[in-house]
Amino acid sequence: MMTQQSARQTNVLPLTRHRDPLLSFADISLARNGHSVLDRVSFDLGRGETLGLVGESGAGKSTIALVAMGLLRSPAVTLEGRMQFAEHGNLLAEPEAGWATLRGRRIAMIFQDPASALNPCFTVGRQLGDPLRRLLGFDQAATRRRSIELLESAGLNDAEARLAAFPHELSGGMQQRVMIAIALACNPELLLADEPTSALDVTIQAQIMQLILSQVRARNASCIFVLHDLALASQVCDRIVVLYAGQVVESGPAESVLRRSLHPYTNALKSCVIELDTETLTPPEGGLPAIGAMPAGCRFAPRCSRATALCASQTPPLRALEGRDIACWHPG
């Protein structure tokens, strides 16, 4: 059996790092009221790359997106590690004044529920025009012209008339198109899309995903998708990061990770994808551990068929293996 010392030594194995990352998470840990939410999360996002964060609800996907936006800054939250963006050093140490120059202009976010994210008290034109005036210095005429262009590029008909509309006067799909237009208003280098289609009709979901991808690629921007759907991630993402209970368990090129998954949790997620020619659906038994009640060792061990005494007692480090990063004592 591996000793505690040899387990610690395994941590020195290098991770697979991107040559020119736009965004880099290095051992990011987050605790809320003393309870671990994220634990040593590490991954890179390349320039012009699309990355998917996948895993069950409560795995930490949306929390990572909020960290990347600098929106989890309160006395109840403790953040450790290093987050680097472009030429900036550790953004975790950046004061709010520094974030104000990045948020909206260089890093933007499409939130999960547009009905909650849009302000019901202001018109579409007001909410779309604010970042153009505040961050880019547009005058009133330029703001109106650019706002119409953005709504048209987001696929909204009669864009000029929509400027006077309030969010509640629009359908869910139209609200999400407005959210996309606002997020892309300042041509950000990094776009975060948190389950951007979960509140929409299934008939609208494909249109919204295609819209986001086309707009991101037209701007040569990088994008992080927060997703539950592994099949969708395989279609829209260059790389995938699989999260379980606040930890990265496997990450790498989407094709490699999905074609031959090495972590048992990734395999379990794949088994939940319904194929049209089969009725097989075998989700993993049990559920995510509660925050504040994380098991010792591997957090997936209580649900894993490969688990041994080592898994239950020692946390596997995230290490490079076969062109991806994986945290598992018994990969394969």
Side-chain angles (χ1 to χ4, degrees), residues 144-320:
R144 185 174 182 82
R145 287 195 302 271
R146 180 59 177 155
S147 295
I148 293 171
E149 291 174 359
L150 286 165
L151 291 180
E152 288 176 342
S153 69
L156 275 172
N157 297 323
D158 201 6
E160 187 170 7
R162 304 297 182 194
L163 293 177
F166 287 88
H168 72 271
E169 297 176 303
L170 306 178
S171 68
M174 294 168 71
Q175 291 174 352
Q176 193 61 295
R177 291 177 188 274
V178 171
M179 277 290 303
I180 293 169
I182 294 172
L184 295 174
C186 299
N187 290 319
E189 297 162 60
L190 171 61
L191 180 67
L192 303 156
D194 185 5
E195 294 282 0
T197 63
S198 63
L200 303 179
D201 239 5
V202 67
T203 56
I204 305 298
Q205 291 179 3
Q207 298 175 22
I208 294 298
M209 290 299 294
Q210 185 56 47
L211 171 63
I212 295 172
L213 280 176
S214 64
Q215 293 293 315
V216 165
R217 288 168 178 166
R219 291 164 168 77
N220 195 32
S222 301
C223 183
I224 294 179
F225 281 106
V226 173
L227 298 169
H228 283 93
D229 190 336
L230 207 61
L232 180 59
S234 70
Q235 298 173 31
V236 302
C237 299
D238 300 312
R239 294 175 61 247
I240 287 177
V241 175
V242 183
L243 291 147
Y244 184 81
Q247 295 179 331
V248 176
V249 295
E250 187 167 7
S251 69
E255 183 180 359
S256 299
V257 170
L258 297 179
R259 185 182 67 248
R260 184 174 180 272
S261 305
L262 298 180
H263 198 283
Y265 179 62
T266 312
N267 283 318
L269 290 180
K270 287 169 59 178
S271 71
C272 294
V273 177
I274 300 176
E275 302 290 347
L276 294 178
D277 59 351
T278 180
E279 297 181 357
T280 302
L281 184 63
T282 54
E285 295 182 0
L288 287 168
I291 294 175
M294 295 295 176
C298 175
R299 294 182 177 181
F300 187 61
R303 304 172 69 186
C304 182
S305 60
R306 302 182 200 167
T308 64
L310 173 65
C311 303
S313 62
Q314 297 183 25
T315 303
L318 188 65
R319 56 197 174 95

Side-chain angles (χ1 to χ4, degrees), residues 30-199:
L30 182 147
R32 185 179 287 114
N33 295 320
H35 298 307
S36 174
V37 178
L38 300 178
D39 182 38
R40 296 170 298 161
V41 171
S42 296
F43 65 84
D44 288 342
L45 174 70
R47 297 177 187 273
E49 186 175 57
T50 301
L51 181 143
L53 302 177
V54 300
E56 295 168 277
S57 295
K61 307 183 300 298
S62 295
T63 301
I64 289 174
L66 293 174
V67 170
M69 278 291 290
L71 295 177
L72 289 178
R73 302 163 66 86
S74 78
V77 173
T78 303
L79 268 169
E80 298 177 347
R82 184 176 183 84
M83 183 178 75
Q84 185 172 345
F85 173 75
E87 74 280 5
H88 291 265
N90 187 10
L91 285 182
L92 298 188
E94 189 78 20
E96 181 58 30
W99 272 104
T101 66
L102 295 173
R103 197 183 295 125
R105 184 164 190 171
R106 299 184 66 184
I107 306 174
M109 187 166 180
I110 301 170
F111 293 91
Q112 184 174 137
D113 183 4
S116 299
L118 293 171
N119 192 320
C121 299
F122 298 119
T123 64
V124 167
R126 169 72 180 275
Q127 296 184 67
L128 184 51
D130 276 351
L132 295 174
R133 289 188 293 268
R134 180 171 54 86
L135 299 176
L136 300 184
F138 281 23
D139 61 23
Q140 185 173 352
T143 295
R144 185 174 182 82
R145 287 195 302 271
R146 180 59 177 155
S147 295
I148 293 171
E149 291 174 359
L150 286 165
L151 291 180
E152 288 176 342
S153 69
L156 275 172
N157 297 323
D158 201 6
E160 187 170 7
R162 304 297 182 194
L163 293 177
F166 287 88
H168 72 271
E169 297 176 303
L170 306 178
S171 68
M174 294 168 71
Q175 291 174 352
Q176 193 61 295
R177 291 177 188 274
V178 171
M179 277 290 303
I180 293 169
I182 294 172
L184 295 174
C186 299
N187 290 319
E189 297 162 60
L190 171 61
L191 180 67
L192 303 156
D194 185 5
E195 294 282 0
T197 63
S198 63

